[in-house]
Amino acid sequence: MATHILRAKLMHNKRTYRDIEILSSKNLVSLADTILDAFQFGDKNHLFGFFSSLGSSYSKSPVRYE
């Protein structure tokens, strides 16, 4: 089974991060749930979005998945 390994960082504390491995077949909702679990964030109704930062702010990212 193919997997992806990624690093999730807190927006306002870049030194706090989690390295996460997830199956390639999982969708973005599963990825969001995995990230929230990794940070022990209990509110599963939290909004989320995925973007390519490429060194800029998330609001200026050319690629988004919301």
Side-chain angles (χ1 to χ4, degrees):
M1 285 190 228
T3 64
H4 294 281
I5 299 173
L6 57 102
R7 178 166 286 178
K9 298 179 182 180
L10 296 179
M11 184 183 306
H12 299 294
N13 181 356
K14 302 293 186 199
R15 294 184 299 175
T16 300
Y17 64 88
R18 301 290 185 270
D19 291 331
I20 297 168
E21 183 174 16
I22 190 166
L23 291 171
S24 299
S25 60
K26 295 293 183 179
N27 59 28
L28 291 176
V29 173
S30 295
L31 176 57
D33 287 342
T34 302
I35 292 169
L36 292 176
D37 288 344
F39 284 100
Q40 298 176 341
F41 191 82
D43 184 4
K44 293 291 185 162
N45 293 320
H46 194 278
L47 295 174
F48 66 87
F50 294 96
F51 57 91
S52 171
S53 66
L54 302 173
S56 65
S57 76
Y58 72 92
S59 63
K60 296 179 183 174
S61 175
V63 180
R64 294 177 184 214
Y65 302 94
E66 299 178 341

